[in-house]
């Protein structure tokens, strides 16, 4: 089993994978970026979900340094995408949402550093 971490990064990267036994905060290697999505991974993800991730990570790349960037809305959208991913891949992998280092306020306050998306869509 693997853990897929959803976390935006530059160059349109947004999904990372590692073995579930790895209990470090390391997110793993990149498995999805841009319009190629999860094409080179073992996970089959719909084109509509890949498009959603592309738009989401694009917002990050364009606005993450803007002091007026609405991080709370961004995270709500990211968690919604992570929930859709979990619904599509089911028990193939655990799905975790992690906030990026660029969101200094939420990381500092540990507002929601890492949240696991459970099968029913709830957050752990």
């Amino acid at each position: 089993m693997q853990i897929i971490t959803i976390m935006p990064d530059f160059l349109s990267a947004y999904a990372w994978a590692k073995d579930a036994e790895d209990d470090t905060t390391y997110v793993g290697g990149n498995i999805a970026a841009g319009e190629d999505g999860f094409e080179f991974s073992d996970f089959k993800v719909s084109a509509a979900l890949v498009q959603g991730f592309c738009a989401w990570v694009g917002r990050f790349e364009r606005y993450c340094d803007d002091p007026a960037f609405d991080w709370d809305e961004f995270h709500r959208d990211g968690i919604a995408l992570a929930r859709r991913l979990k619904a599509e891949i089911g028990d193939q992998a655990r799905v975790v949402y992690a906030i990026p280092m660029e969101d200094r306020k939420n990381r500092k306050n540990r507002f929601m550093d890492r949240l696991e998306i459970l099968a029913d869509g709830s957050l752990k």
Side-chain angles (χ1 to χ4, degrees):
M1 165 113 15
Q2 290 189 308
I3 297 174
I4 297 175
T5 298
I6 300 301
M7 182 186 72
D9 202 354
F10 296 97
L11 301 176
S12 300
Y14 52 82
W16 317 84
K18 68 177 184 176
D19 289 331
E21 293 80 29
D22 181 345
D23 62 354
T24 67
T25 57
Y26 174 64
V27 294
N30 179 252
I31 60 165
E35 293 179 6
D36 288 337
F38 292 79
E39 183 176 337
F40 302 106
S41 77
D42 294 332
F43 303 100
K44 303 301 176 217
V45 177
S46 70
L49 183 51
V50 169
Q51 297 259 331
F53 275 121
C54 286
W56 178 73
V57 77
R59 272 179 32 215
F60 168 81
E61 289 183 312
R62 284 189 301 280
Y63 303 115
C64 71
D65 289 330
D66 183 342
F69 186 55
D70 188 343
W71 281 107
D72 293 337
E73 177 183 13
F74 180 78
H75 293 312
R76 279 192 299 274
D77 294 346
I79 290 168
L81 290 166
R83 282 182 166 130
R84 287 175 56 195
L85 175 64
K86 182 63 179 172
E88 287 193 16
I89 66 168
D91 292 334
Q92 293 179 56
R94 292 171 51 199
V95 176
V96 171
Y97 181 84
I99 63 171
M101 296 181 79
E102 288 78 8
D103 182 0
R104 290 171 187 86
K105 177 187 130 226
N106 286 327
R107 282 191 66 86
K108 180 180 177 188
N109 295 333
R110 301 195 56 81
F111 168 71
M112 53 183 222
D113 199 18
R114 295 175 58 85
L115 298 169
E116 184 170 354
I117 313 301
L118 301 179
D120 65 359
S122 63
L123 303 174
K124 174 180 171 186

